[in-house]
Amino acid sequence: MQKDIFVVGLMVDERSTKAPDVQQVITRYGSNILCRNGIPSPSRERGIITLTMEATEEEYRQMERELQELQGVTVDSIHFRQPESFQVCHQS
């Protein structure tokens, strides 16, 4: 099954109360996440998280659905389809 690259942006309203629920979903997909970046400023009402994932489209869509079920979480993404000749670098 082909895995593609997804760059996922999350906007989390009421960051201080929603962060544990968002983290729980992200943790379930941790094996697909290559990189995570966040703005953790406690003075902000909103949090921004970006994820770079290597996943099948089905894996990504499932995570997206779970995140969108959380009130106050907005999800948007860019999908880079990988031709068979392109390989993501993996550490051995």
Side-chain angles (χ1 to χ4, degrees):
M1 199 175 278
Q2 179 174 322
K3 292 194 174 194
D4 295 333
I5 298 297
F6 296 85
V7 179
V8 185
L10 308 173
M11 177 77 70
V12 182
D13 291 329
E14 299 176 35
R15 186 185 63 79
S16 61
T17 59
K18 303 289 185 198
D21 294 333
V22 171
Q23 182 58 42
Q24 194 173 39
V25 174
I26 291 172
T27 298
R28 279 198 291 276
Y29 295 90
S31 63
N32 297 102
I33 296 172
L34 302 172
C35 179
R36 174 188 172 152
N37 186 16
I39 300 174
S41 174
S43 66
R44 297 183 188 263
E45 292 281 325
R46 285 186 166 160
I48 298 171
I49 300 170
T50 56
L51 306 171
T52 303
M53 300 178 66
E54 182 181 28
T56 64
E57 190 161 358
E58 182 178 322
E59 291 168 327
Y60 165 72
R61 295 287 175 216
Q62 180 62 37
M63 184 189 77
E64 179 185 48
R65 278 190 293 276
E66 290 180 34
L67 288 167
Q68 288 177 337
E69 287 175 1
L70 301 174
Q71 188 171 4
V73 177
T74 304
V75 182
D76 206 349
S77 67
I78 300 170
H79 181 182
F80 295 98
R81 297 191 197 302
Q82 292 188 44
E84 290 182 25
S85 62
F86 178 74
Q87 297 293 319
V88 173
C89 296
H90 293 281
Q91 292 181 342
S92 41

